[in-house]
Amino acid sequence: GAVVSQHPSWVICKSGTSVKIECRSLDFQATTMFWYRQFPKQSLMLMATSNEGSKATYEQGVEKDKFLINHASLTLSTLTVTSAHPEDSSFYICSAQSPTGGGEQYFGPGTRLTVT
Amino acid sequence: GEDVEQSLFLSVREGDSSVINCTYTDSSSTYLYWYKQEPGAGLQLLTYIFSNMDMKQDQRLTVLLNKKDKHLSLRIADTQTGDSAIYFCAASSGNTGKLIFGQGTTLQVKP
């Protein structure tokens, strides 16, 4: 199956700093990638849709100035959490949409962010 | 908006079959998906079914779709301890490419 990587797998940062998370589709080109947030024992919450070469589309209630998304190539999307606060601590997961088949999404392994 | 519902917990014995159920509300969902998540990991796509199909089988996995009732199920035959995980049902949302996820069903497999 298709492989999607995320980097880093976990990160600890101080309050007020910014953190960048990378999402790469390793063996296919993805015009569309998605960023999710998952709280413990809960389902995934879609944060934004990342389209290559255009601005991301954010879900209602997600601050676009806080969660900066850049999709500069067909294999890379980045999420930058700016001025992080402890409440931003979470598990962030990206996915890349297959350009063929049933539009299925392939997920990265996730990034655990802890803000101290 | 679209809603996807799943039962939260299922416990089975090793070797038995597991059936995880899901209901969705958007009749225009073209594709329905099953994902597996192990602790601390991302989601693994198990299988998906096109809305004009009733059934899809892939080795130990069987997906049944009742489009009239908007009911989807995942049957795992000969369940193993390695199948213990959270299983998410997801429905495609229109032409947006977005997926709407259920709450996830925790499958516990007892030896």
Side-chain angles (χ1 to χ4, degrees):
Chain A
V3 180
V4 176
S5 69
Q6 268 183 255
H7 179 80
S9 54
W10 60 270
V11 57
I12 302 171
C13 70
K14 291 188 184 298
S15 191
T17 61
S18 295
V19 174
K20 180 186 282 189
I21 302 170
E22 293 186 348
C23 178
R24 294 180 185 273
S25 56
L26 298 183
D27 50 4
F28 67 101
Q29 293 185 327
T31 308
T32 305
M33 293 185 174
F34 300 88
W35 286 96
Y36 296 84
R37 187 171 176 178
Q38 187 178 33
F39 292 102
K41 299 190 185 302
Q42 292 191 24
S43 189
L44 282 74
M45 181 191 83
L46 178 64
M47 298 175 66
T49 303
S50 171
N51 296 298
E52 188 268 336
S54 64
K55 290 184 179 181
T57 305
Y58 291 82
E59 294 299 299
Q60 194 172 8
V62 177
E63 300 175 60
K64 61 181 180 182
D65 294 330
K66 180 167 186 61
F67 298 99
L68 301 179
I69 291 171
N70 184 277
H71 193 156
S73 78
L74 287 171
T75 58
L76 174 63
S77 175
T78 61
L79 168 69
T80 301
V81 183
T82 63
S83 187
H85 290 285
E87 57 265 31
D88 298 323
S89 298
S90 192
F91 192 55
Y92 292 87
I93 311 178
C94 73
S95 71
Q97 186 170 45
S98 169
T100 61
E104 62 273 25
Q105 293 181 25
Y106 293 94
F107 285 79
T111 297
R112 172 75 57 195
L113 170 63
T114 302
V115 185
T116 61
Chain B
E2 165 82 276
D3 192 26
V4 178
E5 298 277 339
Q6 296 177 241
S7 54
L8 296 181
F9 186 79
L10 175 66
S11 180
V12 300
R13 292 215 171 272
E14 192 173 18
D16 289 349
S17 292
S18 307
V19 179
I20 302 172
N21 294 301
C22 169
T23 57
Y24 60 100
T25 58
D26 188 352
S27 57
S28 69
S29 291
T30 308
Y31 290 94
L32 298 128
Y33 308 83
W34 283 104
Y35 285 90
K36 175 184 180 182
Q37 186 179 34
E38 300 189 32
L43 274 67
Q44 174 194 353
L45 177 65
L46 292 176
T47 187
Y48 65 92
I49 188 167
F50 188 47
S51 60
N52 69 354
M53 297 171 65
D54 299 324
M55 184 182 88
K56 181 177 181 181
Q57 186 162 1
D58 184 2
Q59 299 183 332
R60 291 190 298 124
L61 305 179
T62 303
V63 178
L64 294 178
L65 174 60
N66 182 327
K67 194 174 179 181
K68 175 176 169 289
D69 294 339
K70 301 190 193 70
H71 182 269
L72 183 74
S73 68
L74 174 69
R75 178 178 180 269
I76 306 173
D78 187 24
T79 313
Q80 303 297 306
T81 54
D83 295 324
S84 294
I86 301 176
Y87 290 80
F88 289 96
C89 166
S92 61
S93 177
N95 295 321
T96 64
K98 295 180 188 179
L99 297 183
I100 308 299
F101 284 87
Q103 313 94 306
T105 300
T106 298
L107 174 64
Q108 180 188 67
V109 183
K110 296 180 180 178

